[in-house]
């Protein structure tokens, strides 16, 4: 469903903590991505050969297995991002692309989205919360939010 998260739920999230967690997630992804791409260029032929040889050293095997785990992590991350993008509204998609991926300033993004800063901030927070929920960031905050929601309903 393509809709913003309700403001009453967004109020439970601290944007500073949320932004920091999302940026750290994407910093880790970008680092691993560059690391894998750098090593894939120099070692593409050795991956398959190293697994088939029984005489290789344990260090080589560890290196190959670690590289494969990174590739698996990147594929899973990209699958989650593709799935996540289908849940974003058009404005959230712009925020995701320009704020998280390209790291533009709020002023530039506010102009791109063509909303007031107050409306833009709600859109941005909704986008960041969706990312945090998809990647299980800030689980304590999510648990507290769920607890408050169900206590208020009961």
């Amino acid at each position: 469903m393509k809709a913003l998260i309700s403001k009453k739920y967004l109020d439970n999230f601290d944007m500073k903590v949320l932004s920091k967690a999302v940026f750290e997630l994407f910093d880790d992804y970008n680092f691993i991505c560059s690391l894998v791409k750098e090593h894939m260029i120099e070692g593409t032929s050795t991956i398959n050969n190293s697994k088939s040889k029984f005489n290789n050293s344990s260090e080589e095997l560890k290196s190959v297995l670690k590289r494969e785990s990174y590739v698996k992590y990147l594929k899973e991350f990209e699958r989650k991002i593709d799935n996540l993008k289908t849940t974003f509204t058009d404005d959230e998609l712009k925020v995701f692309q320009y704020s998280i991926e390209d790291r533009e300033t709020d002023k530039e993004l506010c102009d791109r989205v063509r909303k007031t800063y107050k409306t833009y901030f709600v859109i941005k927070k909704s986008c960041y919360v969706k990312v945090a929920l998809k990647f299980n960031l800030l689980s304590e905050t999510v648990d507290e939010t769920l607890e408050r929601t169900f206590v208020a309903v009961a």
Side-chain angles (χ1 to χ4, degrees):
M1 182 170 88
K2 292 186 177 190
L4 292 176
I5 296 175
S6 174
K7 188 167 173 12
K8 82 176 191 180
Y9 300 117
L10 292 178
D11 289 340
N12 294 314
F13 293 93
D14 180 8
M15 194 59 189
K16 270 187 175 178
V17 175
L18 194 61
S19 297
K20 183 179 178 190
V22 169
F23 286 145
E24 284 176 358
L25 175 74
F26 278 86
D27 287 344
D28 292 345
Y29 167 76
N30 290 331
F31 175 73
I32 291 172
C33 194
S34 66
L35 189 68
V36 167
K37 284 181 182 176
E38 183 178 309
H39 287 284
M40 291 301 267
I41 292 169
E42 67 185 40
T44 51
S45 62
T46 61
I47 291 176
N48 293 330
N49 293 338
S50 295
K51 286 174 103 176
S52 63
K53 290 182 183 177
F54 290 105
N55 298 339
N56 60 3
S57 71
S58 63
E59 287 300 315
E60 281 183 39
L61 185 59
K62 285 180 185 177
S63 174
V64 169
L65 293 175
K66 186 154 217 110
R67 195 175 318 148
E68 284 182 349
S69 70
Y70 286 153
V71 169
K72 185 178 177 182
Y73 167 80
L74 292 174
K75 286 181 181 177
E76 180 66 20
F77 189 94
E78 289 163 1
R79 186 191 62 76
K80 284 182 178 182
I81 291 298
D82 290 341
N83 183 278
L84 184 63
K85 285 181 178 180
T86 63
T87 65
F88 286 149
T89 64
D90 292 339
D91 290 336
E92 284 176 322
L93 199 53
K94 287 179 187 174
V95 168
F96 179 81
Q97 179 182 356
Y98 295 112
S99 177
I100 296 174
E101 292 181 331
D102 295 344
R103 306 279 172 102
E104 288 187 2
T105 64
D106 285 336
K107 184 177 181 347
E108 292 170 323
L109 256 166
C110 197
D111 292 340
R112 275 190 198 274
V113 180
R114 294 187 181 120
K115 306 282 185 200
T116 64
Y117 186 75
K118 187 176 179 180
T119 306
Y120 158 75
F121 188 74
V122 171
I123 295 167
K124 179 179 177 180
K125 198 168 188 180
S126 177
C127 174
Y128 278 55
V129 167
K130 285 181 180 180
V131 172
L133 291 173
K134 186 68 171 181
F135 288 95
N136 200 22
L137 307 175
L138 308 173
S139 58
E140 301 90 29
T141 307
V142 173
D143 291 340
E144 290 173 17
T145 303
L146 287 172
E147 191 174 305
R148 277 189 234 136
T149 301
F150 287 116
V151 169
V153 172

